[in-house]
Structures are given as structure tokens and as C-alpha cells.
Amino acid sequence: MTPNLRRKRLLRLLLLRWHRWCGVTVALFVVLISLSGILINHAHTLGWDHQPLRSSWLLSHYGVAPEVPRFGYNVNNVWLTRVSNQLYWNLQALGECNDGLAGASGVEEGVVAQCGDGLYLLTTDGELVERLTGPPEPMQKLGVFAGKLMAQGQKQIWEINTEEGRWLAGDSSQAMDWIEPQTLPDRLSEQLSALATPQDITWERLLLDFHSGRLWGDVGVLVVDLLGVIMMFLACSGVWAWLMHPKRGG
Amino acid sequence: MKTSFVAIIVLLGLCGMMPARLSAEEYMSQQDFLRDVFQDQTYLSERLWLDPTHKAAIKEMLGHAYVGLRVRYWQKGLRTAWILEEIGKEQPITIGVGVEAGQIQRLRVLSFRESRGGEVRHAFFTDQFNFVGLSQSRDLDKNIDGITGATLSVRAVKKVAKLALYLHTLVIKSESHDPESQT
């Protein structure tokens, strides 16, 4: 055997060895990615593009925990509640309500609901008049004193001027009775919990994130990238080894 | 060689559980924006009530109904400032727009909550809106260059720009019809 032929044969054997080990290593992942790819192709037919995830374990991967609201504010027989960062008028979602629901009360203009990050002005029918944003600090409590709408922030008390849409520094030395939350009826609590499940995280979304590795964050994406590189190596090494087979004059 | 393959398997198995989380970035407070628009002069807080005609026009511009019976704005003379929100892909973007003489004087992204597309907050993009007005067909009268990978955020900012310009015209029109506002 000539030195050149010997070298080629050794190279072919080395390549085959790497080919085998890579194949064994990624075999399971290839099967999983192929399966998920096939399912993604047919997600619409299966209805998975509209079916939201309900499993709390799966939702936890998206940072979503199921929430069961226990407390709210009853204003003229209407419950104002905050569930999954949304403000609800009974079962009607009104909009974002971040950093907690500090309180809700009837006022001359209608109803107000103070979220940590803004104030909702509503009609008595629950229609949104205006949402005031940009409070000076997150608000924690709401009250009405001497005809004035007051809010307790983390650092001080504020008077809410709905005309000008501002929170003005109030008298922090004055003792006040703040509006306290009340226990929600069980039925309403269950209904709100069901409503608050995100509708946009679907089974299709889960499949796509699994297929791309995004389900496991940046590391998962890099791993899938690595799998792709290994599979390319398998394809190339397999073809090369086939071409270099002695029977083909390699 | 066996060791290296074992290492690969371990790496593949040790995928970190890092769910993607959104974080709201506030780039400018409302107060700072208003100070910037009115150049430290005093201004008044006003409210514009929307009638069905206005709401229909706004729906056509935004592609969805405006939620709310009125819009708050701030005014000094013929200059108005608007702080409006529009959904990018899934989260609202808070945008401040200063308008005078039918043209945008300032446009700033105050808060951004999406995981992608935040390039719209930079001056190279927002400065394009300076001196942009509204055409007869209620479109921006100047072409705005988009940003690759931020299509939805760009679209949201353009919608807010159009809305602010439209609302400004409503304010100016209502003042020109109201003799008391001219005193």
C-alpha cells in the first residue's frame, strides 16, 4: 500500500469514527426535532395554533404562573379586580394594571381605579373615560377624604387631581382611612382565574420554541445551533466517506 | 475522544431554564418630556373629548378603535404635547409627540416594553419625524425609513405620529371656532 493510499485510508477511518460518534450523540435530538418539525407543519390543521396552554408547569417556562384572585374592590355592586396585570370590571378586561391595584371608588364623574402605575377614570357603566399615567411613584392605597381623592405612595400621600391629570403632594401627617379590599365571591374568583390564562401562548408556540431551542433560553438556542452544525458534518462526512470507499476508487 | 463526546452529551443535557421575560425600559419621564417640548415654560393640561366622527377617523388611522372617551394633552400657545401608547408587537410603546404649526417638533419614545425593536428610541430614527406633517389623506407627508427587525415598532411609532398630528388639528380647529379661547 502506497503512503498516499495509507493516508487516505486512515483519514477515512478517522472520519467514519467521528461520523459514528456524532450520529449516536445527536440521534435522539434529530428524532425530536424532526417530530416537532412535522407537528409544526400541521399545527393549523390540528388546531394547535389557537389552543392556549393550560398547564401551569408549561406556562412557568414562559414566566407565567396561574393566578387565582381572592380580593377586589366593590363599587356600587361592581367588582374591580386585578388579575395577571389586567384590571377587570366584573369579567370585562379594561386594560393594563401594573404594580398592584391600590383601590377603587365611586366619584362624581363615575368610578376611579388606582393601579400602581396609573389611574383609570371610568363611567358608571365601566366605559373608559381616560387613563392617567405617570404617577410620581407606585401607588399603594386609595381613599376619599373631604371630597378629595387621595392615594398613598411608597414615600408619601398624594392628592389626585383628575382635572389636570396629576398627583399633587398631600399632607402626610393627616391620618386617613384607606379603602380596603374585600373578599371576592368564589364564583367570580374562579371565572377570573380562567379568563386570566394567557390566550396567546399556544401549543404551536410551545412547539416552535421547543424546535428552535428557545424554550431553554439562549443556551437552548446555542445547543440547537450546535446540533445543526453536527448534522451538517454528518451529511458531509457521510457523503465524503461514501465517495472515498475503496470500491469507488477512493 | 470518548471523553469529548461525553462532554457534548452533558452540555446538551444541561440546558439552562431561562424563560424569556419582558422588561419595561423607561427612557424619559413624562415630566422631562413636557419640559423638553415646552422648553421649561409653563403649560396647561387639557382634555380633548372624542366624538364618533373623531373616533371613526382615529380607527382608520390606527387600524383599531381608540380606547377612551377623551385624550389628555398639554398646551402652551399653539404648541401641543401628546403622550400616547400603541402596541408594537404585543406590548404598548409610550411615545411623546410635540406638535406646532401642523408639524411635529419633537418625538420621543418614553417607554419600551418589547424584547425586540427598541432601536426606535434612538435619535437616528425619531429625528426623522421632525417637521413632518399630515397630508390630506391623513398620512405622514414625509417618508420615514424603517429599521430592519423592528417593523412593528416602527409602524407603532408612525401611527402615534399620525394620531398626534390629527389630534393637534382638532384642538386648533376647536379653538379657532371658540371665541373664548382666543382671549
Side-chain angles (χ1 to χ4, degrees):
Chain A
M1 190 184 289
T2 63
N4 191 39
L5 205 60
R6 187 185 166 83
R7 203 168 30 247
K8 273 190 179 177
R9 193 175 173 196
L10 280 172
L11 187 60
R12 183 171 171 275
L13 286 172
L14 184 67
L15 203 62
L16 274 175
R17 181 180 283 186
W18 275 94
H19 183 93
R20 277 196 291 268
W21 276 107
C22 283
V24 167
T25 304
V26 302
L28 178 62
F29 296 98
V30 168
V31 168
L32 290 174
I33 285 180
S34 300
L35 267 174
S36 59
I38 292 169
L39 288 171
I40 288 167
N41 277 347
H42 299 280
H44 180 69
T45 313
L46 293 166
W48 288 2
D49 53 344
H50 289 111
Q51 238 174 310
L53 290 181
R54 299 269 180 221
S55 159
S56 51
W57 181 75
L58 288 172
L59 284 170
S60 70
H61 283 57
Y62 291 92
V64 176
E67 195 176 336
V68 181
R70 295 279 179 227
F71 302 99
Y73 296 89
N74 191 305
V75 180
N76 302 328
N77 291 323
V78 172
W79 283 97
L80 283 124
T81 325
R82 175 181 170 264
V83 190
S84 296
N85 286 349
Q86 288 284 311
L87 178 68
Y88 282 83
W89 172 283
N90 287 332
L91 295 174
Q92 179 195 346
L94 295 178
E96 283 211 355
C97 182
N98 297 312
D99 298 329
L101 176 59
S105 175
V107 293
E108 193 180 327
E109 295 159 298
V111 176
V112 294
Q114 173 73 68
C115 297
D117 67 339
L119 184 86
Y120 279 81
L121 296 173
L122 305 157
T123 64
T124 49
D125 297 324
E127 193 174 3
L128 178 68
V129 175
E130 186 184 353
R131 184 168 176 251
L132 304 179
T133 56
E137 56 172 341
M139 298 297 163
Q140 297 172 330
K141 290 181 189 290
L142 186 75
V144 180
F145 306 102
K148 293 180 184 177
L149 200 57
M150 309 295 286
Q152 163 88 60
Q154 289 171 337
K155 296 171 189 168
Q156 67 169 94
I157 288 172
W158 303 87
E159 180 187 336
I160 304 170
N161 186 326
T162 55
E163 288 285 317
E164 294 181 23
R166 294 199 295 159
W167 288 260
L168 306 167
D171 182 0
S172 294
S173 64
Q174 199 171 349
M176 298 196 183
D177 289 326
W178 301 103
I179 299 170
E180 293 295 329
Q182 296 157 276
T183 306
L184 286 175
D186 290 341
R187 178 79 185 123
L188 182 63
S189 177
E190 286 166 15
Q191 288 173 312
L192 285 168
S193 184
L195 274 178
T197 303
Q199 297 295 305
D200 53 347
I201 303 180
T202 62
W203 281 96
E204 186 190 32
R205 173 81 264 153
L206 180 73
L207 271 175
L208 285 166
D209 289 341
F210 177 89
H211 188 81
S212 65
R214 282 199 177 83
L215 200 59
W216 295 276
D218 293 338
V219 172
V221 172
L222 286 173
V223 167
V224 170
D225 287 346
L226 181 63
L227 285 172
V229 170
I230 293 172
M231 284 193 276
M232 281 192 286
F233 168 76
L234 283 172
C236 295
S237 59
V239 169
W240 195 85
W242 183 78
L243 288 171
M244 288 294 115
H245 196 282
K247 284 186 182 174
R248 289 184 189 80
Chain B
M1 189 180 302
K2 283 187 184 176
T3 308
S4 59
F5 279 107
V6 169
I8 289 172
I9 291 171
V10 170
L11 174 64
L12 292 175
L14 281 178
C15 294
M17 307 299 257
M18 292 184 286
R21 291 183 188 273
L22 298 168
S23 61
E25 293 273 5
E26 184 178 280
Y27 303 114
M28 196 176 204
S29 70
Q30 289 188 13
Q31 293 308 315
D32 286 343
F33 171 72
L34 293 172
R35 263 197 291 272
D36 183 38
V37 168
F38 298 108
Q39 293 165 355
D40 294 322
Q41 293 178 348
T42 54
Y43 49 84
L44 292 173
S45 172
E46 304 283 357
R47 294 159 299 175
L48 175 67
W49 288 89
L50 301 173
D51 65 27
T53 313
H54 302 153
K55 288 202 141 193
I58 292 170
K59 188 175 180 181
E60 202 181 311
M61 276 189 284
L62 297 181
H64 61 81
Y66 179 82
V67 181
L69 297 177
R70 70 187 190 202
V71 187
R72 185 165 297 274
Y73 65 100
W74 295 264
Q75 186 174 15
K76 169 74 178 173
L78 295 175
R79 180 172 283 207
T80 61
W82 308 82
I83 295 177
L84 303 164
E85 288 189 345
E86 180 62 21
I87 303 282
K89 187 178 179 191
E90 287 159 0
Q91 296 293 321
I93 307 171
T94 307
I95 302 159
V97 188
V99 186
E100 187 170 9
Q103 292 182 328
I104 293 175
Q105 305 299 318
R106 294 268 199 293
L107 186 143
R108 298 283 183 269
V109 173
L110 306 185
S111 293
F112 191 84
R113 299 168 184 83
E114 302 272 13
S115 55
R116 289 190 180 86
E119 298 92 332
V120 293
R121 68 178 175 91
H122 291 296
F124 75 79
F125 176 70
T126 57
D127 282 353
Q128 292 184 88
F129 291 88
N130 291 348
F131 308 115
V132 169
L134 209 58
S135 67
Q136 293 275 32
S137 58
R138 293 196 187 122
D139 279 321
L140 300 177
D141 64 7
K142 187 180 135 189
N143 182 56
I144 303 292
D145 288 336
I147 301 173
T148 306
T151 308
L152 295 176
S153 299
V154 166
R155 194 177 297 171
V157 176
K158 285 163 76 171
K159 282 183 187 177
V160 165
K162 281 193 272 189
L163 179 58
L165 285 164
Y166 173 70
L167 295 173
H168 174 87
T169 60
L170 293 180
V171 168
I172 300 301
K173 268 184 194 168
S174 71
E175 287 180 352
S176 65
H177 290 141
D178 182 5
E180 281 189 9
S181 69
Q182 294 176 0
T183 57

